[in-house]
C-alpha cells in the first residue's frame, strides 16, 4: 500500500496472476486464441493442400495470383485489427483483478468481465484510436520515403536510416506515454480521449522509469518464451523422423496437421502466460503512478480497513490529482467523517 520499487512490480505481477489465475490466464488465452486458431488453420491448409495449390499456381494467370495475394493480405489485416481490438479490451479488463489483488480480493473470470463490461465501448474506442494512429504514422512514413526517392533520388538513401530512427524514437516515446491508458479507462471510468490524456499526465516525469521496466519485462518474457518454444518448434521434425520415418505422403500430411495444431496450442498457452504477465506489470505501474501522484495508497488503506465496496474495483471513485482522496481525511479527530486515526 505504497509506491512500488522495480523488484516489487515484477514480483507483484507474479502474485497477481497466482491469486487470480482463472481471470488472468483465461483472459490471456482468449487474447491469444485468435492468432493461435489462425496459425493452426494456416498450418493445416498448407500441409493438406500444398500439392494442389502448387499445381493451381502453375496454371493460374497473373491476375488470379494477384487477386489471391490481395485477398490473403486483406484477410490477415482484418484478423490483425480484430486481434488488436480484442487484445485492447482484455488488457483493460485484466486491470480489474490486478487492482483487486492489492487489497487481497480474489477475482474470477466472470467477476472480472462483469466489472469491466461497462468500459468495453470506451476500450474499443481507445483501440480504434491507436490503430488509426499506427496506420496514419505508417502512411506518413511511406509518403515521406516515396517523396524522397522521387525528388532527392540518390541522396534519399542517406536520409532513410536517420528518418527510420527518428520515427522509431517518436513511436517509442508516444507508446510509453499512453501505456496506462487502458487502465485509466477502466479504473477511472473515462472515455478514450480522456484515458489518453490521463495516461499522458501520469507518465510525466516517469518516462525513463516506465521505459526501463517495459524493456526489462519484454526481454525477460521474450527469453523465457523462446526457451519454451524453440524445443516445441523442433518437435514436428523429431516426431516425423522417429515415429514415422517411412510414412507415405498421406501419413506425413496427417502428422503435419497434428503437430501443427499441437504447436499452435502450446504457443497459445505460452503466449497467454506472457500476455498476462505483461498486462499485470502495466496494471501495477498504473496503480503505482496513482499512488505517487494522487495519494491512492491512502484511499486504498482506508478502503482496506473499513472493508468498503468489497465487490467493486479499488481506485474507482477517487478524484485525480488529490492527495486526500476521501472527504474527511485530515479533519480533526472525533469530528464527523474524520480519518479513523485523526492523521
Amino acid at each position: 500500500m505504497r509506491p512500488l520499487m522495480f523488484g516489487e512490480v515484477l514480483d507483484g505481477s507474479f502474485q497477481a496472476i497466482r491469486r487470480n489465475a482463472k481471470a488472468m490466464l483465461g483472459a490471456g488465452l482468449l487474447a491469444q486464441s485468435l492468432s493461435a486458431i489462425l496459425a493452426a488453420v494456416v498450418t493445416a491448409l498448407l500441409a493438406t493442400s500444398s500439392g494442389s495449390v502448387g499445381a493451381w499456381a502453375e496454371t493460374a494467370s497473373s491476375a488470379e495470383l494477384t487477386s489471391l495475394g490481395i485477398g490473403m493480405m486483406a484477410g490477415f489485416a482484418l484478423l490483425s485489427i480484430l486481434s488488436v481490438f480484442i487484445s485492447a479490451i482484455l488488457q483493460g479488463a485484466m486491470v480489474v483483478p490486478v487492482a483487486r489483488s492489492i487489497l487481497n480480493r480474489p477475482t474470477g473470470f466472470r467477476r472480472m468481465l462483469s466489472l469491466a463490461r461497462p468500459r468495453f465501448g470506451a476500450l474499443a474506442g481507445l483501440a480504434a484510436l491507436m490503430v488509426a494512429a499506427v496506420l496514419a504514422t505508417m502512411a506518413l512514413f511511406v509518403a515521406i520515403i516515396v517523396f524522397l526517392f522521387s525528388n532527392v533520388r540518390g541522396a534519399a538513401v542517406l536520409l532513410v536510416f536517420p528518418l527510420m530512427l527518428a520515427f522509431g524514437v517518436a513511436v517509442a516515446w508516444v507508446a510509453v506515454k499512453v501505456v496506462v491508458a487502458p487502465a485509466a479507462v477502466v479504473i477511472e471510468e473515462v472515455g478514450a480521449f480522456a484515458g489518453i490524456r490521463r495516461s499522458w499526465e501520469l507518465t510525466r516525469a516517469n518516462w525513463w522509469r516506465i521505459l526501463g521496466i517495459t524493456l526489462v519485462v519484454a526481454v525477460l518474457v521474450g527469453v523465457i518464451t523462446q526457451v519454451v518454444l524453440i524445443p516445441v518448434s523442433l518437435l514436428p521434425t523429431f516426431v516425423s523422423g522417429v515415429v514415422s520415418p517411412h510414412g507415405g505422403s498421406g501419413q506425413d500430411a496427417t502428422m503435419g496437421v497434428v503437430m501443427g495444431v499441437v504447436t499452435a496450442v502450446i504457443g497459445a498457452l505460452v503466449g497467454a502466460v506472457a500476455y498476462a504477465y505483461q498486462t499485470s506489470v502495466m496494471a501495477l505501474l498504473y496503480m503505482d503512478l496513482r499512488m505517487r501522484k494522487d495519494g491512492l495508497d491512502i484511499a486504498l488503506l482506508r478502503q482496506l480497513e473499513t472493508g468498503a465496496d468489497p465487490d467493486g474495483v479499488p481506485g474507482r471513485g477517487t478524484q485525480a490529482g488529490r492527495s486526500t482522496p476521501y472527504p474527511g481525511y485530515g479533519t480533526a479527530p472525533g469530528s464527523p467523517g474524520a480519518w479513523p486515526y485523526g492523521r
Side-chain angles (χ1 to χ4, degrees), residues 114-336:
S114 65
L115 291 174
R117 186 177 295 113
R119 311 305 308 154
F120 283 174
L123 288 172
L126 178 64
L129 285 176
M130 291 184 175
V131 170
V134 171
L135 294 178
T137 302
M138 293 175 60
L140 177 62
F141 179 76
V142 172
I144 293 176
I145 294 297
V146 171
F147 174 79
L148 288 176
F149 275 97
S150 61
N151 292 274
V152 186
R153 299 185 184 277
V157 178
L158 301 177
L159 300 175
V160 169
F161 180 74
L163 185 62
M164 292 178 59
L165 184 61
F167 264 87
V169 172
V171 169
W173 183 74
V174 174
V176 172
K177 294 293 290 182
V178 301
V179 71
V180 296
V185 167
V186 173
I187 300 297
E188 301 183 38
E189 300 180 297
V190 296
F193 287 101
I196 293 176
R197 288 196 300 268
R198 184 71 174 122
S199 178
W200 211 275
E201 295 171 359
L202 289 173
T203 54
R204 186 178 296 123
N206 286 275
W207 191 91
W208 287 106
R209 175 172 172 266
I210 297 173
L211 176 65
I213 294 176
T214 304
L215 290 179
V216 170
V217 171
V219 171
L220 178 65
V221 170
V223 170
I224 296 176
T225 301
Q226 292 303 313
V227 168
V228 176
L229 290 183
I230 288 178
V232 174
S233 64
L234 300 176
L235 190 61
T237 305
F238 173 78
V239 172
S240 61
V242 175
V243 176
S244 58
H246 305 294
S249 58
Q251 187 175 357
D252 290 341
T254 303
M255 185 63 65
V257 171
V258 172
M259 296 311 302
V261 172
V262 171
T263 302
V265 170
I266 296 177
L269 294 175
V270 175
V273 176
Y275 182 85
Y277 182 68
Q278 289 178 305
T279 302
S280 181
V281 169
M282 295 302 104
L284 275 183
L285 280 177
Y286 166 78
M287 301 299 288
D288 173 70
L289 293 173
R290 289 285 307 275
M291 292 177 187
R292 294 173 184 270
K293 294 181 176 290
D294 297 344
L296 183 62
D297 49 342
I298 301 173
L300 294 179
L301 180 61
R302 178 171 184 177
Q303 191 171 355
L304 179 64
E305 292 178 343
T306 60
D309 196 17
D311 297 326
V313 180
R316 281 185 179 173
T318 58
Q319 298 181 15
R322 291 184 57 183
S323 59
T324 58
Y326 282 87
Y329 174 81
T331 56
S335 60

Side-chain angles (χ1 to χ4, degrees), residues 59-79:
T59 59
S61 63
S62 58
E64 292 175 335
L65 292 176
T66 303
S67 300
L68 177 62
I70 294 175
M72 292 181 63
M73 291 177 61
F76 278 107
L78 180 61
L79 289 174

